[in-house]
Amino acid sequence: MKNSTQVSYFILGAYFYIGLFKYLLFLILMCFYALIICANVLLIVVICVNRSLHEPMYLFLVSLFVNELYGSTGLFPFLLVQILSDIHTVSAPFCFLQIYYVFTYGTIQYINLAVMSYDRYLAICFPLQYHTRMTSSKVAVLIALTWLFPLNEVVVTVLLSSSLQLCGNFNNKVYCDNYSVVKLACSEATVSNIHGLFIISLVIFVPLLLILYTYMRTLKVCFSGSKQTRQKAVSTCTPHLASTINFFLGSFFEIVQSRFDMSRVPMILRIFLSLYFLLCQPLFNPLMYGLQMSKIRRSCKSLIFGKM
């Protein structure tokens, strides 16, 4: 058995020396973070202050935008500090806290997208019954479950990971993630593995089946319905479909980065794959929904320029 020690910190091996360019990179990421905050906060404020937008679809969007602020805040300040630092280490408690942030952000995002696909399915397939099926109390329950389940469940995942005896402290990424830490374990991880399989089945496959079912039914209605029905479906589903595809793309990059040997891949590309999931989604969604949905676009113009 390999020698095991109580790990007090982790080394982040994906950082490399870039000299004075680190200040330029710091400025770029700072602007990126500021843009994410401004875009998401703007749309949250627009939806909250405009009573005409107090509909289920827009309330689910508020949940989505709040989660993007949550996930970005869990990553960007840490990245900015690491870029300026000469020693790229992170304490074990903070590493597990970051794992909690990243894991809950991804889970909430995924469940939120599944709930939104269900909402669009009801709106398009059952337009006359939509308001009786998607009541305000049901919206509140769905949003509460979207947040409360991941926030509580991920605690168990992090506790199981933090209880493992580790044989090393080298993490070949720019931030902490659960799989990279579990790979360092030299103690028995059966309980953690069983729990992981259960969570994968529950958190990944259930929302995936819901997304696939709702879009299959929605597409069936679109192809068999009138031209007006198809136009309505395209206008309301395009932003959500683009957001879902972007999320799956980021998740795919994260899985490839974690599960396969990336030593032959250029470091810049590996860093891009690591950060795409957490950097692009929080900016892509507000831009997509803000530009594509006419009600939000008009409300943004009214709020910014003072025109009704």
Side-chain angles (χ1 to χ4, degrees):
M1 180 183 289
K2 297 180 181 179
N3 292 331
S4 63
T5 58
Q6 187 64 38
V7 171
S8 61
Y9 68 93
F10 292 91
I11 300 170
L12 301 174
Y15 291 94
F16 58 94
Y17 181 74
I18 57 175
L20 295 177
F21 281 106
K22 67 181 182 180
Y23 298 106
L24 176 61
L25 182 58
F26 177 88
L27 183 62
I28 292 172
L29 281 180
M30 177 66 81
C31 293
F32 204 94
Y33 183 38
L35 185 58
I36 287 174
I37 292 176
C38 292
N40 284 279
V41 169
L42 173 63
L43 294 187
I44 291 171
V45 171
V46 164
I47 294 173
C48 289
V49 301
N50 195 326
R51 294 186 64 85
S52 66
L53 298 179
H54 291 182
E55 300 176 9
M57 176 175 63
Y58 299 107
L59 297 179
F60 293 134
L61 280 178
V62 169
S63 174
L64 194 74
F65 298 147
V66 170
N67 185 50
E68 284 161 359
L69 291 174
Y70 167 81
S72 300
T73 303
L75 177 70
F76 271 93
F78 174 80
L79 283 180
L80 294 172
V81 171
Q82 288 293 324
I83 288 170
L84 295 181
S85 176
D86 294 325
I87 302 175
H88 305 294
T89 61
V90 56
S91 66
F94 190 86
C95 182
F96 288 111
L97 177 62
Q98 190 172 61
I99 289 172
Y100 180 80
Y101 259 102
V102 172
F103 215 144
T104 50
Y105 162 76
T107 307
I108 291 169
Q109 194 84 344
Y110 187 35
I111 296 175
N112 210 133
L113 290 171
V115 169
M116 290 171 66
S117 69
Y118 172 67
D119 173 71
R120 292 299 83 207
Y121 157 71
L122 291 182
I124 293 169
C125 298
F126 304 96
L128 299 180
Q129 306 170 36
Y130 175 71
H131 290 290
T132 58
R133 292 188 177 217
M134 188 60 74
T135 61
S136 57
S137 59
K138 189 173 184 179
V139 171
V141 169
L142 289 172
I143 292 176
L145 289 176
T146 297
W147 281 82
L148 293 178
F149 173 74
L151 290 175
N152 287 279
E153 184 282 321
V154 176
V155 171
V156 179
T157 301
V158 173
L159 288 176
L160 289 173
S161 298
S162 62
S163 65
L164 295 173
Q165 195 70 32
L166 305 180
C167 293
N169 65 343
F170 185 81
N171 184 353
N172 198 27
K173 298 187 73 172
V174 294
Y175 64 91
C176 291
D177 75 300
N178 190 62
Y179 187 73
S180 297
V181 171
V182 172
K183 285 195 300 184
L184 298 172
C186 50
S187 61
E188 185 61 44
T190 303
V191 175
S192 181
N193 291 333
I194 293 174
H195 176 262
L197 289 174
F198 171 74
I199 293 305
I200 287 174
S201 302
L202 184 63
V203 173
I204 294 181
F205 290 112
V206 172
L208 179 61
L209 290 174
L210 179 61
I211 291 173
L212 292 176
Y213 173 79
T214 54
Y215 268 106
M216 287 174 59
R217 292 294 302 273
T218 302
L219 288 174
K220 183 179 179 181
V221 170
C222 291
F223 285 121
S224 61
S226 63
K227 182 179 179 181
Q228 183 179 2
T229 302
R230 288 196 297 271
Q231 288 177 342
K232 179 184 177 182
V234 169
S235 63
T236 58
C237 289
T238 297
H240 179 264
L241 185 59
S243 178
T244 304
I245 292 173
N246 187 52
F247 177 84
F248 281 126
L249 185 63
S251 301
F252 174 75
F253 287 161
E254 180 65 18
I255 292 170
V256 168
Q257 174 79 359
S258 300
R259 265 63 175 180
F260 297 96
D261 181 14
M262 304 290 286
S263 58
R264 297 184 180 181
V265 178
M267 182 62 74
I268 295 295
L269 180 58
R270 286 159 60 185
I271 293 173
F272 171 77
L273 293 177
S274 294
L275 295 178
Y276 183 93
F277 178 71
L278 291 161
L279 265 65
C280 294
Q281 191 84 358
L283 186 59
F284 177 85
N285 283 338
L287 291 178
M288 172 60 66
Y289 286 104
L291 294 174
Q292 290 292 323
M293 304 189 75
S294 57
K295 277 190 175 183
I296 293 181
R297 189 170 61 249
R298 287 195 299 267
S299 298
C300 286
K301 290 180 179 179
S302 174
L303 182 67
I304 296 173
F305 301 107
K307 298 178 180 179
M308 297 302 294

